[in-house]
């Protein structure tokens, strides 16, 4: 029976995640599978892969053919490298200990690279947050300036109206005082 290592889609529309499964080549994409060996979630940044390394390596060594996407995932997780190294051990190019050392060195370098990527993403988010904060502060300052100008204009108008009312009151009192003054004589 020919087997494939493929992705099986799950999740809602626009937010899919996948199970990494071993399936018969003739089975439909989301149909029956022989074994589930992991999961892949492309919605996170960076994408999350949870893979049973030993089972994946075992199936690859048995001859299961991965699809293109799964081949990339397996390469990224080191399954294909380990298959290559075990092929070298089988041919006698080097010993199992040397293969394990090479794989461990690759794994350490990969972990450092992954840590740098996560750090870079976090720094980018922090910088974007700081930029948004500065932009919001600039908008708030502009709004505060407009409000202050409007309040100043209202206060000036109120003061002007109060002055005019005081002048009108003084003007109204002056003729009344003149009118009273001749009556007193």
């Amino acid at each position: 029976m020919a087997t494939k290592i493929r992705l099986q889609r799950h999740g809602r529309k626009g937010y899919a995640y996948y199970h990494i499964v071993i399936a018969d080549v003739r089975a439909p994409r989301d149909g029956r599978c022989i074994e589930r060996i992991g999961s892949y979630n492309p919605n996170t940044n960076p994408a999350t892969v949870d893979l049973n390394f030993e089972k994946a390596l075992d199936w690859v060594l048995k001859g299961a053919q991965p699809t293109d996407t799964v081949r990339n995932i397996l390469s990224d997780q080191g399954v294909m490298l380990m298959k290559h190294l075990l092929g070298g051990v089988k041919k006698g190019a080097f010993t199992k200990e040397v293969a394990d050392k090479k794989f461990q060195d690759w794994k350490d370098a990969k972990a450092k690279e992954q840590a740098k990527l996560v750090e870079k993403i976090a720094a980018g988010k922090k910088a974007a947050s700081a930029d948004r904060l500065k932009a919001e502060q600039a908008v708030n300052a502009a709004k505060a300036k407009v409000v202050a100008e409007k309040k100043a204009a209202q206060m000036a108008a109120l003061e002007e109206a109060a002055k005019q009312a005081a002048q009108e009151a003084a003007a109204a009192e002056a003729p009344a005082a003149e009118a009273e003054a001749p009556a007193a004589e």
Side-chain angles (χ1 to χ4, degrees):
M1 170 173 65
T3 56
K4 273 242 190 240
I5 304 175
R6 64 166 61 149
L7 297 177
Q8 196 176 57
R9 190 181 193 281
H10 292 279
R12 68 175 194 260
K13 180 179 176 182
Y15 200 77
Y17 68 93
Y18 301 89
H19 290 169
I20 302 171
V21 297
I22 310 299
D24 186 1
V25 220
R26 299 166 291 186
R29 177 190 70 179
D30 298 333
R32 190 170 171 202
C33 67
I34 298 170
E35 185 176 10
R36 180 174 174 236
I37 60 171
S39 64
Y40 167 62
N41 186 358
N43 302 312
T44 59
N45 190 10
T48 307
V49 176
D50 179 29
L51 183 70
N52 186 330
F53 186 85
E54 289 79 24
K55 284 184 182 180
L57 181 62
D58 183 46
W59 277 103
V60 168
L61 291 175
K62 286 180 185 176
Q65 294 298 311
T67 60
D68 293 339
T69 305
V70 174
R71 180 180 302 279
N72 290 337
I73 292 170
L74 294 178
S75 293
D76 189 52
Q77 296 296 311
V79 174
M80 301 309 273
L81 176 65
M82 185 55 109
K83 177 188 175 199
H84 175 74
L85 292 172
L86 290 177
V89 169
K90 194 180 213 181
K91 292 178 183 176
F94 43 83
T95 63
K96 176 80 169 127
E97 291 77 28
V98 173
D100 289 340
K101 170 106 173 73
K102 285 183 178 185
F103 183 72
Q104 193 59 42
D105 291 344
W106 175 86
K107 203 171 183 183
D108 293 341
K110 186 75 171 174
K112 286 180 185 177
E113 182 181 313
Q114 187 73 12
K116 284 182 183 178
L117 178 64
V118 168
E119 186 178 308
K120 182 179 176 183
I121 290 170
K125 284 183 180 180
K126 189 174 182 180
S129 177
D131 290 344
R132 281 195 310 271
L133 180 63
K134 284 180 183 178
E136 186 175 337
Q137 287 174 342
V139 168
N140 287 345
K143 283 183 182 179
K145 183 179 177 183
V146 168
V147 168
E149 288 173 357
K150 194 182 274 187
K151 282 187 177 183
Q154 286 177 346
M155 290 301 289
L158 285 175
E159 288 176 8
E160 185 65 34
K163 277 184 185 178
Q164 218 166 22
Q167 287 176 356
E168 288 176 5
E173 285 181 18
E178 289 177 12
E180 289 180 16
E185 284 182 9

